Amino acid sequence: MLKIRQLQKKKLEEAAASAAATADITGNSSTISSNNKITPAQLRLQKDITELDIPKSIKLTFPNSSDLFNFNLSITPQQGYYKLGTFQFTVEINGNFPMDPPRIKCSNKIYHPNIDLSGNVCLNILREDWSPVLNLNSVLIGLNFLFLEPNPNDPLNKDAANVLVKNKTLFAKNVRDSMRGGYVDQEYYDRIV
Amino acid sequence: MKVNIVDWHGVATWHWKLASNDGKAGYVDELCGICRVPFDGTCPNCKFPGDDCPLVLGRGCIHNFHVHCILKWLEQEASKGLCPMCRQVFVHDPEDNPHSEEFEYLQQLEDGHRLLREKGETTYEE
Ligand SMILES: [Zn+2]
Ligand SMILES: [Zn+2]
Ligand SMILES: [Zn+2]
């Protein structure tokens, strides 16, 4: 049963050795190598970015135009509880993409059943249901959907999830109050309207 | 009129036989779901299409991949040994696939995941 781990370990060691060798030659080990060699992750990510077909409510910004692996994302829902708030996220994609899912974190402290107070997002396709045939588009659509239909099952913010299940009017009020920047149940939330 | 052939060039094309168009004539332009490169091209780690970068034909399902692409996925424990397209357990048919290092390694990974499943070390949904 340890076969996989052993094989993987061997592979990782080889990868580390070759990465170290490259780092020695180029003097750095950044994801975009200086000798113009495009990595598989880069190749796939470029395709994903060119094929993006996302609603207007989602905007991507690349703080460093030569780095496709790290960018920012903002979502401005046009309907639902979170209508017209603007939520900022950071997206971090590693060199093992698409074997590893993108890592997405909310930069605002928000009141949402599926996002905890540190900005961690609970979205199945970013975790246990990730598959390399999913692309950036499906991830962004999934994230957008969390704001249209917050999901009280499998919550990260249990208090918010409980309120959503028990009292939808109170949930809507809490969301509005939190989006204006203020306290909900002794917790301070960022202003995002 | 008499024609003398002084020179001629033979031209041939090839395509992979895919599980999904097996038995059907003609060519279906399909992409490897993992790297999104056409099957007749190579995976991102290879230079030459063809025998250097073979396809694997799934047996449990009808999904094809560059063997190098599915290997990378099955190396991940998170893959749970499942097909990335349909999430059924991924198995290839040794009868239908060439004997080579890659396919031996694929078999090892499939077996590894099967053992993990049997030991119930990870939770698998069926
Ligand atoms: Zn491929
Ligand atoms: Zn290959
Ligand atoms: Zn399949």
Side-chain angles (χ1 to χ4, degrees):
Chain A
M1 89 78 205
L2 284 173
K3 244 181 195 167
I4 291 185
R5 288 213 190 88
Q6 282 164 2
L7 287 164
Q8 214 171 5
K9 203 171 152 235
K10 204 177 122 208
K11 281 243 156 189
L12 284 174
E13 280 165 359
E14 284 167 13
S18 75
T22 325
D24 278 344
I25 299 161
T26 58
N28 68 61
S29 57
S30 70
T31 35
I32 296 163
S33 62
S34 42
N35 53 9
N36 287 331
K37 217 177 154 214
I38 296 176
T39 64
Q42 233 173 317
L43 217 63
R44 176 52 214 277
L45 185 55
Q46 274 169 358
K47 279 187 219 280
D48 275 24
I49 291 173
T50 10
E51 285 167 11
L52 277 181
D53 181 18
I54 43 176
K56 283 198 199 80
S57 54
I58 308 177
K59 289 207 160 54
L60 302 190
T61 45
F62 292 86
N64 176 356
S65 56
S66 64
D67 181 7
L68 295 179
F69 287 85
N70 294 282
F71 55 90
N72 300 326
L73 174 70
S74 79
I75 297 186
T76 310
Q78 300 300 306
Q79 48 180 305
Y81 294 111
Y82 296 90
K83 190 176 170 180
L84 301 182
T86 297
F87 304 88
Q88 309 288 343
F89 293 85
T90 54
V91 182
E92 199 186 306
I93 292 167
N94 70 25
N96 201 28
F97 180 78
M99 301 305 148
D100 289 349
R103 285 185 49 188
I104 300 187
K105 262 194 113 165
C106 186
S107 321
N108 309 114
K109 190 168 164 186
I110 66 169
Y111 181 81
H112 191 296
N114 310 108
I115 298 175
D116 73 12
L117 301 179
S118 323
N120 298 305
V121 181
C122 181
L123 181 62
N124 63 333
I125 55 168
L126 288 177
R127 295 163 177 240
E128 73 277 9
D129 287 337
W130 171 253
S131 146
V133 301
L134 291 170
N135 59 9
L136 196 55
N137 209 72
S138 36
V139 166
L140 298 185
I141 299 293
L143 192 62
N144 191 51
F145 190 69
L146 276 189
F147 285 91
L148 304 176
E149 298 274 344
N151 175 9
N153 309 314
D154 192 22
L156 277 184
N157 182 336
K158 289 201 172 65
D159 295 337
N162 280 335
V163 177
L164 176 58
V165 173
K166 287 186 185 131
N167 187 340
K168 292 204 160 45
T169 322
L170 179 61
F171 181 77
K173 181 186 178 298
N174 284 351
V175 169
R176 279 197 310 275
D177 289 351
S178 69
M179 282 177 22
R180 273 192 223 109
Y183 286 90
V184 175
D185 298 331
Q186 280 122 50
E187 197 64 62
Y188 183 81
Y189 292 93
D190 290 341
R191 183 184 170 90
I192 39 90
V193 278
Chain B
M1 186 182 78
K2 197 178 169 200
V3 175
N4 287 321
I5 298 169
V6 286
D7 197 5
W8 64 280
H9 300 276
V11 177
T13 62
W14 63 272
H15 298 296
W16 286 108
K17 177 182 146 205
L18 304 176
S20 48
N21 65 7
D22 197 9
K24 277 182 253 160
Y27 168 62
V28 184
D29 182 17
E30 281 182 276
L31 306 180
C32 168
I34 298 177
C35 67
R36 300 199 173 259
V37 170
F39 287 124
D40 291 344
T42 70
C43 83
N45 288 307
C46 288
K47 278 208 181 72
F48 305 107
D51 290 339
D52 287 348
C53 186
L55 295 194
V56 61
L57 309 177
R59 183 174 59 179
C61 59
I62 52 145
H63 295 118
N64 305 276
F65 303 96
H66 292 120
V67 71
H68 298 139
C69 292
I70 194 74
L71 284 176
K72 278 196 137 189
W73 172 238
L74 295 179
E75 277 173 359
Q76 316 288 317
E77 258 184 70
S79 75
K80 300 175 195 162
L82 305 183
C83 168
M85 299 288 264
C86 63
R87 298 181 201 279
Q88 298 184 64
V89 171
F90 188 85
V91 277
H92 76 286
D93 194 340
E95 299 284 305
D96 236 5
N97 291 283
H99 296 278
S100 66
E101 248 175 68
E102 282 113 332
F103 285 90
E104 264 168 44
Y105 182 38
L106 178 61
Q107 190 64 54
Q108 283 174 11
L109 290 175
E110 287 172 13
D111 292 346
H113 282 291
R114 185 167 41 79
L115 284 170
L116 280 175
R117 240 182 339 264
E118 282 166 8
K119 285 206 165 186
E121 281 209 2
T122 347
T123 46
Y124 289 92
E125 57 255 288
E126 216 24 64

